[in-house]
Amino acid sequence: MPQNHVEKLNLKEVIAMGVGGMVGGGIFSVLGLAIAQAGHAAPIAFALGGIIALLTGLSYSRLGLHFQSDGGSFTYLEKAFRSPNIAGIGGWLLLVGYVGTMALYAYTFGVYGSAMLGDNGGQNPAMHHLLESLVLLSFLGVNLYGVKASGSSELLIVTIKILILALFAIIGLFYVKSDHLLPLFNQGGLGVIMGAALIFVAYEGFELIPNAVNEMEQPQRNLRRGILWSIAITTFIYVLVSLVAVGNLLPDEIRKYGEYALAEAAKPFLGEAGFLLIGLAALFSTASAINATMFGTARLGMVMATEDALPAVFGFRRKQNNIPWVSLIAITACTLAFVNLANLTIISSFASSTFLLVFAAINLSAWHMRKTIPGNSWTPLLGLILSMTSWITLLAYLWRSSPRSLYWIAGIYLVVVAAELLFSRRRVFLRKRS
């Protein structure tokens, strides 16, 4: 028994944590959005998203090694800037960003669940709403009860979904029609940036690796390698999967099938079995991602409450098992409202916008502390520039094509800033500490 206590995560497990966090369901539903914007160049849009993630990953690894804290992004912002409100707003943004990703996972679960139950045209919205609500309420019950997936079962889930996507990509490559891929920039160069910005939420997840810096073997060596390898593997999978999808479906088909375009893309070479395989992978991935995200987000809310960045009620825990029940219920309620009131474009663009902003702030933190933490100054600066360029491009695209999404984003951000200014008592907290 004592040796289990000192067991540390090896490099393979760190990489699995990162890949599992990123390939959590986003790719199954946002692929259609990426192709709609980038056209034949959708694989390049995914590659661009991967480059932004890699640069940001380097900033996370530097900050993670320097602070050796499981507080993650919230701690880095707190340490990098004197104003406590910056860390507070960053924490709130993370919180609502995770609500956005859970909404995306639940939405995807509802879409694929409905399609597999025979509602291929989305003609039964009630079934979709029922499934996306049920999956959230089910995992609220699981988390309130205290059941948590073990590391070995998470590794198994990651392996299964990666194998299914790899099977789809490798077999599908032999069926790609070259005329479906040319001309490469059929939607223009700007469409590639728009596509990358709109689907950036598919890269959210690697930022959780530094939170486990104290639980991994040789962190000085494995933290950076774990982050970079997990992003590289995920990018490779996304580029291949999008290449196969573009090469097997016509633009009209992608528009028609929308959220479950990936499952339809498997039909030309794997038949109905391919549709079911991708559908099951989507249900499997989204369910595990909802569980993991809900577990982590509720604890982020609890940590923020203990530092007076959230109302104290978020820190309430059950005596029997220390579960932050108020945080869990509040976060699930917000996710339920969001997923049932918004559409895929709103959910995806909000989550992508939020993580582009959070990652820009982390790159800024690494650049701001360039004289304190080892490493060059150009990678965080380039990461900051690319994150902000993508964010501005996303807002410009939404302004032109989906103003409603922009109103949602602006409204939630106003609530976030107001909430930090109203509820935060961290100025007093920090004054006492200094």
Side-chain angles (χ1 to χ4, degrees), residues 412-432:
I412 294 170
Y413 289 172
L414 279 172
V415 170
V416 162
V417 174
E420 162 60 16
L421 297 176
L422 284 171
F423 291 123
S424 176
R425 299 290 178 270
R426 302 175 70 249
R427 281 184 292 275
V428 177
F429 174 75
L430 286 178
R431 225 178 272 139
K432 280 180 189 172

Side-chain angles (χ1 to χ4, degrees), residues 176-224:
V176 165
K177 301 171 187 72
S178 56
D179 59 318
H180 283 207
L181 301 171
L182 297 169
L184 185 58
F185 295 101
N186 63 318
Q187 301 276 64
L190 191 60
V192 176
I193 303 171
M194 284 181 186
L198 195 56
I199 54 84
F200 190 73
V201 65
Y203 284 101
E204 178 278 316
F206 70 86
E207 80 284 351
L208 299 172
I209 293 177
N211 295 22
V213 66
N214 296 315
E215 281 82 50
M216 64 178 70
E217 293 173 0
Q218 299 176 280
Q220 296 290 340
R221 183 170 175 265
N222 287 343
L223 177 61
R224 180 187 167 102

Side-chain angles (χ1 to χ4, degrees), residues 136-152:
L136 285 167
L137 291 170
S138 299
F139 283 110
L140 171 63
V142 166
N143 277 274
L144 284 173
Y145 185 67
V147 177
K148 181 176 168 285
S150 69
S152 54

Side-chain angles (χ1 to χ4, degrees), residues 14 253 337 380 411:
V14 172
E253 292 175 306

Side-chain angles (χ1 to χ4, degrees), residues 122-415:
Q123 287 144 8
N124 189 354
M127 187 193 291
H128 177 208
H129 285 295
L130 177 67
L131 287 172
E132 64 192 12
S133 301
L134 270 178
V135 73
L136 285 167
L137 291 170
S138 299
F139 283 110
L140 171 63
V142 166
N143 277 274
L144 284 173
Y145 185 67
V147 177
K148 181 176 168 285
S150 69
S152 54
S153 64
E154 274 301 310
L155 191 58
L156 180 67
I157 289 168
V158 171
T159 306
I160 290 170
K161 64 186 174 187
I162 296 305
L163 282 174
I164 291 173
L165 287 174
L167 179 76
F168 166 84
I170 292 163
I171 297 174
L173 277 175
F174 293 101
Y175 291 84
V176 165
K177 301 171 187 72
S178 56
D179 59 318
H180 283 207
L181 301 171
L182 297 169
L184 185 58
F185 295 101
N186 63 318
Q187 301 276 64
L190 191 60
V192 176
I193 303 171
M194 284 181 186
L198 195 56
I199 54 84
F200 190 73
V201 65
Y203 284 101
E204 178 278 316
F206 70 86
E207 80 284 351
L208 299 172
I209 293 177
N211 295 22
V213 66
N214 296 315
E215 281 82 50
M216 64 178 70
E217 293 173 0
Q218 299 176 280
Q220 296 290 340
R221 183 170 175 265
N222 287 343
L223 177 61
R224 180 187 167 102
R225 290 172 79 202
I227 289 174
L228 297 187
W229 269 109
S230 64
I231 295 169
I233 290 166
T234 302
T235 305
F236 182 68
I237 291 166
Y238 286 172
V239 169
L240 268 186
V241 165
S242 56
L243 182 66
V244 170
V246 173
N248 278 282
L249 291 177
L250 291 166
D252 286 345
E253 292 175 306
I254 289 159
R255 271 192 292 275
K256 179 184 171 187
Y257 302 124
E259 298 97 334
Y260 58 94
L262 188 61
E264 286 291 339
K267 272 188 178 177
F269 54 91
L270 289 173
E272 202 61 43
F275 182 91
L276 288 172
L277 192 66
I278 294 294
L280 284 170
L283 296 177
F284 202 48
S285 294
T286 49
S288 70
I290 288 167
N291 188 32
T293 309
M294 191 180 285
F295 181 85
T297 308
R299 274 140 192 84
L300 171 64
M302 183 180 70
V303 169
M304 288 178 65
T306 60
E307 300 208 4
D308 295 331
L310 274 182
V313 69
F314 277 78
F316 287 8
R317 285 172 278 189
R318 278 174 65 192
K319 284 178 184 172
Q320 304 98 306
N321 49 16
N322 223 25
I323 287 169
W325 63 276
V326 174
S327 190
L328 272 169
I329 291 169
I331 284 159
T332 306
C334 290
T335 310
L336 275 167
F338 191 32
V339 75
N340 282 291
L341 293 172
N343 59 34
L344 179 62
T345 304
I346 293 170
I347 294 168
S348 177
S349 55
F350 168 73
S352 291
S353 165
T354 304
F355 280 100
L356 281 168
L357 272 182
V358 169
F359 291 169
I362 293 299
N363 281 311
L364 180 61
S365 301
W367 184 80
H368 184 67
M369 299 190 71
R370 62 194 180 280
K371 290 177 183 168
T372 314
I373 58 176
N376 61 56
S377 59
W378 69 267
T379 48
L381 189 59
L382 185 57
L384 171 63
I385 291 166
L386 286 176
S387 301
M388 287 309 296
T389 302
S390 299
W391 185 68
I392 291 163
T393 305
L394 175 61
L395 295 191
Y397 159 73
L398 294 174
W399 176 256
R400 202 181 74 236
S401 63
S402 180
R404 188 163 164 244
S405 301
L406 203 56
Y407 301 149
W408 269 89
I409 292 170
I412 294 170
Y413 289 172
L414 279 172
V415 170

